[in-house]
Amino acid sequence: ELKVEQNPLFLSMQEGKNYTIYCNYSTTSDRLYWYRQDPGKSLESLFVLLSNGAVKQEGRLMASLDTKARLSTLHITAAVHDLSATYFCAVDGVTSGSRLTFGEGTQLTVNP
Amino acid sequence: NAGVTQTPKFRVLKTGQSMTLLCAQDMNHEYMYWYRQDPGMGLRLIHYSVGEGTTAKGEVPDGYNVSRLKKQNFLLGLESAAPSQTSVYFCASSYRAGFSSYEQYFGPGTRLTVT
């Protein structure tokens, strides 16, 4: 059974600081997805990482994938309040077909 | 394009009542999914479909049924609602071209309360 674990689950940080969210998964996969969810809203796709060593950046967010370590990171640079949201990583394993398995989510609060 | 739409947005049911949630997508996607989201548990897959006329069980299928009679629609049914089915339900769709991803596109969600 594919398991996806995110760390931390809750993160409160000051504006201007840097931090990293970690996503570990338990089985072979070279496709990992990051989503953002604002309170009361749906999930919005942030990044799709399709191979070992993949790195993608959008604004203050950068995601990377290490398939050998079964680890993805979402790095936040110089956080701003608008980044406050819940961030989910998801994986589709080699035997999962089109199904994604989601982590529990990391609830990020950026304080002024 | 409207993307993925869900009907209704909110619903309150009494225990034992039945209802159907409708998901529609206009992106010609092959794959469609129903999830439920509960606090502290992320998203859990209820049922999914890999094409018109096909359905399969996900992680938490008990108490739910689905149908995909048309490619653009995926229906989720609750035959006899229970308080444990109080949740936010999300529909999603995806496609895969060549070796690209199964990136999923989500609908706005349906907030269901069973009393």
Side-chain angles (χ1 to χ4, degrees):
Chain A
E1 180 189 350
L2 173 56
K3 292 190 185 300
V4 181
E5 293 184 350
Q6 289 183 233
N7 178 38
L9 298 182
F10 299 93
L11 176 56
S12 180
M13 56 191 298
Q14 296 289 327
E15 280 191 329
K17 300 292 187 183
N18 304 332
Y19 210 83
T20 300
I21 298 170
Y22 298 88
C23 175
N24 290 93
Y25 54 96
S26 64
T27 192
T28 302
S29 176
D30 57 5
R31 289 191 296 269
L32 189 133
Y33 311 79
W34 283 97
Y35 287 87
R36 168 180 172 146
Q37 185 179 36
D38 292 310
K41 303 292 187 182
S42 185
L43 279 79
E44 172 190 358
S45 179
L46 287 175
F47 300 111
V48 179
L49 303 169
L50 296 179
S51 61
N52 185 42
V55 177
K56 290 200 173 178
Q57 182 163 5
E58 174 98 18
R60 301 173 188 273
L61 300 177
M62 183 173 72
S64 65
L65 178 61
D66 180 345
T67 59
K68 292 182 172 56
R70 298 179 182 173
L71 170 68
S72 179
T73 60
L74 181 66
H75 187 72
I76 302 154
T77 301
V80 293
H81 180 69
D82 285 352
L83 290 179
S84 297
T86 299
Y87 294 86
F88 292 93
C89 64
V91 175
D92 69 75
V94 291
T95 60
S96 299
S98 65
R99 293 167 291 162
L100 300 187
T101 299
F102 284 80
E104 289 183 50
T106 296
Q107 186 175 318
L108 171 66
T109 302
V110 181
N111 302 304
Chain B
N1 287 351
V4 181
T5 58
Q6 292 182 232
T7 309
K9 289 186 169 49
F10 302 94
R11 185 73 185 267
V12 178
L13 287 179
K14 294 188 188 307
T15 298
Q17 288 184 320
S18 64
M19 78 164 294
T20 300
L21 283 67
L22 170 63
C23 176
Q25 53 95 4
D26 61 2
M27 298 175 283
N28 201 35
H29 285 175
E30 285 296 323
Y31 309 106
M32 296 187 75
Y33 316 83
W34 276 107
Y35 294 93
R36 60 178 289 172
Q37 184 176 35
D38 302 293
M41 301 192 75
L43 276 81
R44 293 183 292 169
L45 182 65
I46 305 171
H47 286 280
Y48 65 103
S49 168
V50 299
E52 181 179 317
T54 75
T55 63
K57 293 180 181 179
E59 183 185 353
V60 288
D62 293 343
Y64 305 95
N65 56 75
V66 287
S67 65
R68 185 136 179 237
L69 299 180
K70 294 183 178 180
K71 186 177 183 179
Q72 64 267 34
N73 295 338
F74 196 28
L75 279 64
L76 178 71
L78 286 72
E79 290 185 348
S80 179
S84 61
Q85 294 177 305
T86 293
S87 188
V88 180
Y89 292 84
F90 287 102
C91 176
S93 70
S94 72
Y95 74 103
R96 191 180 190 202
F99 292 97
S100 66
S101 73
Y102 287 115
E103 182 182 11
Q104 293 184 9
Y105 297 79
F106 283 81
T110 295
R111 189 172 297 273
L112 175 66
T113 302
V114 183
T115 62

